[in-house]
Amino acid sequence: MKTLILYTLKNISSPGSRQIQLWHFILELLQKEEYQGVIAWQGDYGEFVIKDPDEVARLWGIRKCKPHMNYDKLSRALRYYYNKRILHKTKGKRFTYKFNFSKVVLVNYPLLDMASSPFLLAQNHFNGEVFSFFIFV
């Protein structure tokens, strides 16, 4: 049995920053209750569904200061992650993707409310930085 510890460091980019990758942004949305009608965890471990693709694209466009963002452009960016094995499309399910957490070792994205995450193991504070430790089996 392999165990992988994943941890995050605060704070490469702030929530309003344009310095964020799409998959970090998706994790951010998935952790916020107010976006559960737009994007939500579902099914298997790491699987999520984009319930309102146009709204996710609009939010991504706002975050990246790209007012002409649409789901076609966003999905093209998501496909870029397939080769990197960060995530993949779930076959037979529309707008459904799955994170490949076993390939992710370190992610740097803004501190999120991870208390609701099924993956959070612990959080520690050290010298003003917040370290979130995750465990995947």
Side-chain angles (χ1 to χ4, degrees):
M1 178 182 296
K2 283 188 174 181
T3 300
L4 172 68
I5 297 176
L6 168 72
Y7 54 96
T8 64
L9 296 175
K10 185 190 176 191
N11 188 354
I12 292 261
S13 68
S14 63
S17 172
R18 290 174 53 193
Q19 298 283 322
I20 186 170
Q21 293 185 27
L22 177 56
W23 70 278
H24 294 175
F25 177 75
I26 288 171
L27 283 173
E28 211 177 89
L29 292 181
L30 285 164
Q31 297 306 316
K32 295 180 180 178
E33 266 188 59
E34 65 259 33
Y35 296 113
Q36 286 186 355
V38 176
I39 187 170
W41 294 113
Q42 113 172 354
D44 293 339
Y45 175 76
E47 189 176 83
F48 65 96
V49 61
I50 298 175
K51 297 178 178 181
D52 187 343
D54 293 330
E55 180 63 7
V56 171
R58 187 188 73 78
L59 292 167
W60 178 237
I62 290 169
R63 182 66 174 268
K64 296 298 281 188
C65 297
K66 297 192 180 276
H68 300 294
M69 179 59 63
N70 59 39
Y71 185 72
D72 286 340
K73 294 174 185 175
L74 184 138
S75 65
R76 189 177 311 126
L78 287 174
R79 288 191 297 273
Y80 173 75
Y81 294 130
Y82 298 177
N83 288 340
K84 291 183 174 261
R85 297 180 178 234
I86 292 171
L87 60 80
H88 63 269
K89 179 87 175 78
T90 302
K91 292 180 183 177
K93 295 182 180 179
R94 192 166 187 195
F95 304 125
T96 305
Y97 300 86
K98 186 173 180 179
F99 280 104
N100 186 4
F101 287 123
S102 67
K103 296 291 181 188
V104 179
V105 177
L106 170 68
V107 289
N108 288 309
Y109 58 88
L111 177 67
L112 308 172
D113 177 15
M114 298 302 283
S116 62
S117 171
F119 313 116
L120 179 66
L121 180 62
Q123 273 188 350
N124 288 317
H125 299 266
F126 179 75
N127 288 342
E129 296 294 326
V130 179
F131 298 87
S132 300
F133 298 89
F134 300 79
I135 190 162
F136 301 100
V137 179

